[in-house]
């Protein structure tokens, strides 16, 4: 008899609902089992290799997603699905013994699948406390480590053990089979589980407003993105084009624009195409070695899935944080009406702070954008006038040497600016070397002179020890090699308070075509601790005295290491705390016989004095007078007629008025800039044939290409290099230069005095020994001391002082040998 407190109708209705719920769950378990079986068969048919190896096993991803979303009551469906999918694959009907063993193996595999899925999902839910773990970085990490790695390890253990126990494989192959099983399950879970969970979450959140919130442009964008993914995947994995990693930017695009749902769908499409193609022996990862092929495929899938899942989690955390912050602010404004004035005042302060921060960020962006132009403009004047002064005949040797030091220091400063602005190239491994023929002794001597000044200011000794076999001409990137040496020597001087800094250059090998050089920079400074050596060559890393660190940027050694690596070497270190350090590297360089013809800078062997043919007119369009003055002073002495204009508008007027042979124009100018000037010239019938060189401090490849596309015939980088300017003018005006021969200049020097008094033979032999070692600095000092002691030796010393300033060591050596024969 029913209790009076219970309603019979309600009881029957509840019982009916309970039975209906049980039936629904039973149906769901069966659906999951058949879905698992269907996905397994699909994987075997589409993604199995001829050796019956399936590189990914997506049914485990389906099982894990189902348990995570529905609960542990669907685990029987996982067991049943695994059981059905393995019955025909593993049962052996040859005998009752084999059948019983294989049946036990199938049951073991199904049990392992259920237990591994349960363990992975249980540990993930327990530790992440969230049914949607992909919304935060910690959840993604736990998903990878627990559901993606721990669960499949259990599954693989049961599977490999079952195969060995049922004699499907030898026990000796248990380890490799476990690894293959584990990796295939991991990749299947990584691909399919995030896809199912993300899309379930998407429909759960938008089931009532999905149609209303559809943005058709975004739908078109999504379809376009899927088309690109499919097309590139097909080209990469069906036709074997090596462009598979172009898929990563597209997947990042999907992450930013469509969240986890979009990128997991993209991952699924890419992985499906990659797997199907690879198992059929086609595509980028196809190889004759099955293990290698599957390893490349699975590594690629793991990289794209983990990268996009982590990025999506970061974006989701950021969006959630912003949403929480906005909600908190709104709630605070609604529930604290009495503090409205204070809230408004604080809001205004926050807005002002945000505006100030935005303004500072904008200023920083503008600064970085304009740094190259602004720094190159004064450097153009410094380097330009250094070149102009270097071409002046009235300078004394001492003044000419000082001008050369100014030019070398300015060039080094320009190199440092370029390195800082192009740091992204170094990180992207896009830094290239510009190899030219150069005079190695003069390069080393210029570095020595620059660094010796710093050493003398600190009261320490600077020692330069070049090899007696040092070749004259080599092919190398002069600016980069100088930069490496100055960086290493500058650090040595900076961290040395007493003692000496030594630069040794030894020749390890020398033949007719190549030479191997060993550069050693040795100091007696503080030394470098063992713990700091690992990060010494990292970007923005500095070690040692904090006060010394403030003097640098932390880029020098990292950039120097990259440059030396491009040269085929590697900077190495030996150091002892309190005793000093030694940085050394070896490079192999081709020899250059025609280095004198290609040597740039302000101390060229042959000087241009003019050109053949009619006088030419050149129009210089630049808003900075110092830039116009540099070109004026470089070209006017060579009989060019220079016409000046301060902007593009004046340039058009002068162009029509004077019809110059060549135009050199800047880009950034008031009234009318260089781009508009080029457009006006190229669109005018009477002007479009004008030859125009674009000269700008904006040296990025994009700016140069824009200038050439706008109508420029060539590009001249600021600061203007005299050799580059003369080369471009010669090319576009088809000029033949007139040179002052080096022999004529030397003969003028030698003829300044008709009577030469030779010093004692011992002095001549000492001078010859110094010259044979190419120690031109020491040679100059000895010659200067000789003339100060007795002025009658000035005619003897003056020609050699001039040749030493031009780094003509061999000529000095021959002259001294001649004097020794006469003494």
């Amino acid at each position: 008899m029913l209790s009076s407190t219970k309603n019979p109708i309600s009881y029957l209705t509840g019982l009916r609902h309970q039975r209906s719920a049980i039936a629904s769950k039973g149906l769901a378990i069966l659906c999951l089992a058949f879905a698992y079986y269907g996905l397994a068969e699909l994987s075997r048919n589409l993604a199995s290799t001829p050796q019956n190896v399936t590189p990914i096993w997506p049914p485990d991803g389906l099982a894990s997603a189902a348990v995570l979303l529905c609960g542990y009551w669907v685990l029987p469906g996982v067991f049943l699905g695994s059981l059905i999918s393995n019955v025909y694959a593993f049962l052996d009907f040859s005998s009752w013994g084999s059948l019983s063993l294989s049946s036990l193996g199938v049951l073991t595999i199904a049990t392992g699948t259920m237990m591994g899925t349960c363990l992975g999902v249980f540990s993930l839910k327990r530790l992440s406390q969230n049914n949607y773990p992909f919304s935060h970085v910690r959840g993604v990490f736990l998903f990878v480590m627990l559901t993606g790695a721990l669960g499949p390890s259990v599954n693989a253990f049961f599977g490999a053990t079952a195969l060995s126990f049922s004699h499907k494989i030898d026990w000796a192959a248990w380890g490799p089979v476990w690894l293959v099983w584990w990796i295939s399950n991991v990749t299947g879970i990584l691909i399919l589980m995030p896809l199912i969970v993300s899309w379930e979450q998407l429909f759960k959140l938008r089931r009532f407003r999905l149609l209303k919130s559809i943005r058709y442009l975004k739908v078109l964008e999504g379809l376009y993105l899927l088309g690109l993914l499919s097309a590139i995947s097909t080209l990469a994995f069906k036709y074997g084009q090596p462009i598979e990693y172009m898929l990563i930017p597209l997947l990042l695009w999907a992450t930013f624009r469509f969240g986890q749902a979009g990128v997991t769908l993209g991952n699924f499409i890419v992985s499906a195409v990659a797997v199907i193609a690879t198992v059929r022996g086609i595509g980028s990862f196809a190889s004759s070695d099955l293990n290698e092929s599957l390893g490349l495929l699975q590594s690629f899938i793991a990289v794209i899935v983990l990268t996009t899942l982590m990025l999506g989690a970061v974006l989701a955390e950021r969006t959630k944080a912003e949403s929480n912050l906005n909600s908190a602010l709104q709630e605070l404004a609604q529930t604290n009406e009495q503090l409205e004035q204070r809230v408004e005042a604080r809001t205004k302060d926050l807005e002002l702070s945000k505006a100030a921060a935005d303004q500072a960020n904008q200023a920083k962006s503008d600064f970085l954008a304009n740094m190259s132009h602004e720094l190159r403009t004064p450097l153009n004047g410094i380097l330009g006038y250094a070149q102009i002064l270097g071409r002046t005949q009235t300078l004394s040797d001492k003044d000419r040497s000082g001008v050369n030091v100014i030019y070398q220091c300015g060039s080094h400063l320009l190199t440092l600016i370029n390195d800082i602005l192009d740091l992204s190239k170094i990180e992207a491994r896009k830094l290239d070397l510009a190899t030219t023929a150069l005079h190695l002794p003069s390069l080393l001597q210029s570095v020595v002179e620059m660094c010796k000044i710093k050493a003398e200011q600190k009261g320490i000794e600077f020692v330069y020890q070049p090899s007696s076999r040092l070749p004259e001409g080599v092919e190398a990137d002069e600016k980069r090699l100088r930069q490496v040496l100055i960086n290493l020597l500058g650090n040595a001087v900076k961290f040395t308070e007493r003692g000496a800094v030594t630069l040794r250059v030894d020749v390890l090998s020398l033949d007719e075509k190549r030479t191997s050089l060993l550069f050693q920079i040795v100091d007696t400074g503080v030394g470098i601790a063992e713990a700091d050596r690992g990060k010494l060559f990292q970007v923005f890393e500095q070690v040692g005295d904090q006060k010394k660190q403030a003097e640098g940027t932390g880029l020098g050694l990292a950039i120097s290491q990259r440059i030396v690596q491009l040269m085929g070497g590697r900077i190495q270190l030996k150091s002892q705390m309190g005793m000093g350090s030694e940085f050394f590297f070896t490079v192999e360089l081709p020899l250059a016989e025609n280095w004198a013809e290609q040597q740039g800078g302000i101390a060229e062997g042959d000087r241009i004095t003019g050109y053949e043919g009619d006088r030419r007119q050149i129009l210089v369009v630049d808003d900075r007078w110092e830039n116009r003055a540099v070109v004026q002073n470089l070209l006017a002495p060579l009989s060019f007629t220079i016409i000046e204009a301060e902007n593009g508008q004046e340039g058009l007027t002068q162009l029509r008025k004077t019809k110059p042979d060549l135009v050199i124009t800047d880009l950034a100018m008031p009234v009318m800039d260089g781009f508009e000037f080029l457009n006006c010239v190229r669109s005018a019938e009477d002007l479009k044939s004008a030859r125009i060189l674009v000269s700008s401090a904006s040296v990025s490849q994009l700016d140069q290409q824009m200038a050439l596309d706008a109508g420029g015939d060539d590009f001249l980088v600021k600061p203007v290099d005299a050799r580059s300017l003369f080369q471009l003018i010669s090319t576009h005006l088809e000029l033949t230069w007139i040179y002052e021969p080096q022999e004529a200049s030397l003969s003028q020097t030698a003829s300044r005095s008709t009577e030469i008094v030779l010093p004692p033979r011992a002095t001549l032999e000492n001078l010859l020994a110094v010259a044979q070692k190419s120690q031109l600095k020491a040679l100059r000092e000895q010659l200067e001391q000789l003339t100060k002691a007795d002025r009658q030796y000035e005619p003897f010393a003056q020609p050699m002082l001039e040749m030493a300033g031009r780094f003509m060591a061999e000529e000095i050596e021959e002259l001294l040998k001649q004097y020794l024969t006469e003494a």
Side-chain angles (χ1 to χ4, degrees):
M1 185 173 181
L2 294 175
S3 173
S4 60
T5 58
K6 293 185 178 180
N7 189 330
I9 298 177
S10 300
Y11 176 78
L12 292 175
T13 303
L15 185 61
R16 188 163 50 250
H17 288 168
Q18 185 177 5
R19 292 177 178 176
S20 177
I22 294 174
S24 299
K25 287 185 177 181
L27 181 61
I29 290 173
L30 290 176
C31 290
L32 175 60
F34 284 107
Y36 188 103
Y37 168 72
L39 194 56
E41 288 301 312
L42 186 64
S43 301
R44 289 194 180 106
N45 291 330
L46 295 180
S48 289
T49 65
Q51 295 81 6
N52 292 322
V53 176
T54 305
I56 66 170
W57 189 249
D60 278 10
L62 171 66
S64 298
V67 175
L68 179 67
L69 296 176
C70 301
Y72 302 110
W73 59 267
V74 300
L75 284 172
V78 176
F79 176 83
L80 184 59
S82 178
L83 184 68
I84 297 174
S85 62
N86 288 298
V87 165
Y88 295 105
F90 295 101
L91 284 186
D92 186 358
F93 295 94
S94 60
S95 65
W96 282 106
S98 299
L99 180 61
S100 60
L101 285 177
S102 58
S103 299
L104 183 59
V106 170
L107 291 173
T108 304
I109 293 173
T111 303
T113 301
M114 182 179 66
M115 292 181 62
T117 303
C118 180
L119 177 62
V121 175
F122 173 78
S123 54
L124 175 64
K125 295 180 68 174
R126 185 67 178 271
L127 294 178
S128 68
Q129 298 179 351
N130 191 341
N131 283 343
Y132 185 66
F134 308 111
S135 60
H136 51 91
V137 175
R138 181 172 179 269
V140 172
F141 176 78
L142 293 174
F143 160 70
V144 174
M145 298 302 298
L146 300 177
T147 309
L150 178 60
S153 65
V154 174
N155 190 351
F157 174 82
F158 276 83
T161 302
L163 291 178
S164 300
F165 184 76
S166 58
H167 305 300
K168 296 292 184 180
I169 62 172
D170 294 332
W171 283 99
W174 188 93
V177 170
W178 179 91
L179 182 61
V180 172
W181 197 303
W182 179 76
I183 292 177
S184 64
N185 285 355
V186 168
T187 52
I189 292 175
L190 291 180
I191 293 171
L192 198 60
M193 184 178 175
L195 174 68
I196 297 173
V197 175
S198 299
W199 280 87
E200 190 276 342
Q201 185 75 4
L202 176 66
F203 282 102
K204 180 179 179 181
L205 294 176
R206 298 184 178 181
R207 67 177 65 174
F208 298 113
R209 50 189 175 91
L210 183 61
L211 294 177
K212 295 182 180 180
S213 62
I214 288 179
R215 299 176 183 177
Y216 294 101
L217 289 179
K218 197 166 184 179
V219 172
L220 292 176
E221 179 185 359
L223 294 175
Y224 176 69
L225 179 58
L226 289 177
L228 283 178
L229 286 171
S230 302
I232 294 178
S233 300
T234 302
L235 289 174
F237 300 112
K238 184 176 181 180
Y239 297 103
Q241 299 296 323
I243 58 173
E244 60 273 5
Y245 284 98
M246 289 179 61
L247 295 166
I248 294 180
L250 297 180
L251 293 174
L252 297 181
W253 175 13
T255 306
F256 278 102
R257 295 290 293 151
F258 301 98
Q260 294 283 21
V263 75
T264 52
L265 179 60
N267 289 338
F268 178 78
I269 293 175
V270 171
S271 301
V273 175
V275 170
I276 293 173
T278 303
V279 299
R280 282 162 173 73
I282 57 177
S284 300
F285 300 138
S287 172
S288 58
D289 187 343
L290 176 63
N291 292 331
E292 178 183 356
S293 180
L294 296 183
L296 292 173
L297 171 66
Q298 291 160 342
S299 299
F300 172 76
I301 293 174
V303 166
I304 63 173
V305 171
L306 294 179
T307 301
T308 53
L309 285 181
M310 281 294 184
L311 179 59
V314 170
L315 295 176
E317 284 186 341
R318 180 178 177 182
T319 302
K320 183 178 180 180
E322 292 176 351
S323 177
N324 292 339
L325 178 60
N326 293 332
S327 300
L329 291 175
Q330 293 176 0
E331 183 180 5
L332 182 63
Q334 293 174 359
T335 58
N336 296 280
E337 295 180 1
Q338 57 183 347
L339 301 176
E340 184 176 0
Q341 293 181 352
R342 293 177 59 185
V343 172
E344 289 179 356
R346 184 168 181 80
T347 303
K348 290 180 180 180
D349 292 340
L350 290 174
E351 290 176 354
L352 292 175
S353 299
K354 184 177 182 298
D358 292 341
Q359 186 176 2
N361 286 332
Q362 184 62 39
K364 181 183 69 175
S365 300
D366 295 340
F367 171 75
L368 292 174
N370 297 324
M371 179 188 290
S372 176
H373 187 276
E374 295 301 324
L375 291 178
R376 287 171 180 273
T377 297
L379 277 176
N380 187 42
I382 295 171
L383 295 178
Y385 273 96
Q387 295 173 94
I388 293 168
L389 291 173
R391 294 176 57 81
T392 303
Q393 300 292 336
T394 58
L395 286 180
S396 65
D397 290 334
K398 184 177 181 180
D399 292 338
R400 189 178 303 280
S401 177
V403 170
N404 193 44
V405 172
I406 292 174
Y407 180 81
Q408 297 293 344
C409 293
S411 299
H412 177 61
L413 178 59
L414 179 62
T415 300
L416 293 180
I417 293 170
N418 289 337
D419 288 336
I420 294 174
L421 295 178
D422 295 339
L423 183 59
S424 59
K425 290 184 179 181
I426 298 175
E427 295 175 344
R429 299 182 181 271
K430 294 181 180 180
L431 181 66
D432 296 323
L433 298 179
T435 302
T436 58
L438 58 93
H439 188 233
L440 182 61
S442 62
L443 167 64
L444 296 175
Q445 190 64 40
S446 66
V447 171
V448 169
E449 291 180 1
M450 291 174 64
C451 297
K452 190 171 185 178
I453 296 174
K454 296 181 180 179
E456 291 174 349
Q457 289 174 349
K458 293 189 66 175
I460 60 177
E461 185 180 0
F462 190 95
V463 181
Y464 174 42
Q465 299 176 347
S467 170
S468 59
R469 299 194 301 152
L470 197 67
E472 287 197 0
V474 296
E475 293 184 3
D477 189 321
E478 180 177 0
K479 291 184 178 180
R480 298 299 184 185
L481 181 56
R482 178 186 288 111
Q483 178 185 356
V484 171
L485 294 175
I486 291 177
N487 276 336
L488 296 176
L489 289 170
N491 284 342
V493 172
K494 181 168 65 174
F495 289 99
T496 302
E497 299 300 332
R498 61 180 180 273
V501 172
T502 303
L503 170 62
R504 299 194 190 103
V505 185
D506 291 331
V507 178
L508 301 181
S509 63
L510 179 64
D511 55 30
E512 296 180 355
K513 295 184 178 181
R514 306 186 69 83
T515 181
S516 179
L517 302 177
L518 171 63
F519 294 87
Q520 296 171 285
I521 294 87
V522 184
D523 65 67
T524 57
V526 297
I528 300 172
E530 184 73 27
D532 292 331
R533 297 179 190 178
K535 60 181 180 179
L536 193 61
F537 295 100
Q538 297 179 10
V539 176
F540 298 116
E541 288 288 350
Q542 294 176 287
V543 300
D545 189 352
Q546 295 292 330
K547 294 181 180 179
K548 301 294 184 183
Q549 292 180 17
E551 301 175 10
T553 62
L555 294 175
L557 287 178
I559 294 174
S560 298
Q561 182 70 284
R562 179 59 181 153
I563 293 172
V564 173
Q565 288 174 347
L566 289 175
M567 293 180 177
R570 184 171 66 89
I571 299 177
Q572 301 181 65
L573 168 66
K574 296 178 182 178
S575 183
Q576 185 175 356
M577 291 298 296
M579 300 296 292
S581 304
E582 176 186 346
F583 287 85
F584 60 96
F585 62 92
T586 302
V587 293
E588 187 173 336
L589 301 175
L591 298 181
E593 298 180 356
N594 60 339
W595 61 267
E597 300 176 4
Q598 304 183 39
Q599 185 69 33
I602 62 175
E604 295 185 26
D606 294 335
R607 298 177 178 275
I608 297 175
T609 60
Y611 54 92
E612 298 178 357
D614 299 333
R615 302 303 88 186
R616 305 298 181 93
Q617 287 185 333
I618 295 180
L619 171 61
V620 181
V621 186
D622 200 308
D623 62 316
R624 303 296 293 265
W625 69 268
E626 58 267 40
N627 293 340
R628 302 196 303 272
V630 168
V631 179
Q632 166 78 23
N633 286 278
L634 282 173
L635 299 182
L638 304 181
S639 301
F640 287 99
T641 301
I642 305 301
I643 308 166
E644 298 184 17
E646 295 186 0
N647 55 65
Q649 188 64 51
E650 291 184 12
L652 284 175
T653 303
Q654 291 289 354
L655 187 58
R656 284 194 168 92
K657 180 180 177 181
T658 61
K659 302 294 184 181
D661 298 285
L662 184 68
V663 180
I664 301 176
T665 181
D666 191 17
L667 289 177
M669 297 181 291
V671 184
M672 178 187 289
D673 63 19
F675 290 106
E676 188 176 355
F677 171 74
L678 288 169
N679 183 54
C680 292
V681 171
R682 296 311 181 199
S683 60
E685 289 294 329
D686 58 331
L687 302 177
K688 63 181 182 179
S689 61
R691 284 168 285 194
I692 303 176
L693 300 182
V694 178
S695 180
S696 176
S698 301
V699 295
S700 68
Q701 292 295 328
L702 178 60
D703 291 337
Q704 293 189 26
Q705 190 59 47
M706 289 175 59
L708 297 178
D709 293 341
D713 292 302
D714 222 320
F715 196 92
L716 178 64
V717 175
K718 289 181 182 176
V720 172
D721 176 71
R723 192 182 75 163
S724 299
L725 176 62
F726 296 154
Q727 177 64 39
L728 290 176
I729 290 177
S730 173
T731 299
H732 291 281
L733 295 185
E734 299 179 356
L735 296 180
T736 301
W737 295 116
I738 300 175
Y739 295 92
E740 175 191 4
Q742 179 179 349
E743 292 76 6
S745 177
L746 293 178
S747 63
Q748 292 175 5
T749 302
S751 64
R752 292 176 184 173
S753 175
T754 58
E755 183 179 357
I756 297 178
V757 178
L758 298 179
R761 185 176 183 85
T763 303
L764 290 174
E765 291 176 349
N766 184 42
L767 291 173
L768 177 60
V770 175
Q772 288 175 338
K773 296 179 181 179
S774 299
Q775 297 177 350
L776 299 182
K777 182 69 173 179
L779 180 66
R780 288 202 300 269
E781 293 175 353
Q782 293 186 21
L783 290 172
E784 290 172 354
Q785 292 175 0
L786 183 65
T787 56
K788 287 180 182 179
D790 192 341
R791 297 186 64 87
Q792 69 172 338
Y793 296 128
E794 285 186 356
F796 162 77
Q798 189 60 35
M800 285 187 285
L801 285 172
E802 293 185 3
M803 287 188 286
R806 298 180 182 180
F807 305 100
M808 301 170 62
E810 288 189 357
E811 288 80 356
I812 295 174
E813 183 179 345
E814 293 298 326
L815 186 58
L816 287 171
K817 289 179 179 179
Q818 180 181 349
Y819 287 153
L820 279 171
T821 60
E822 298 174 0

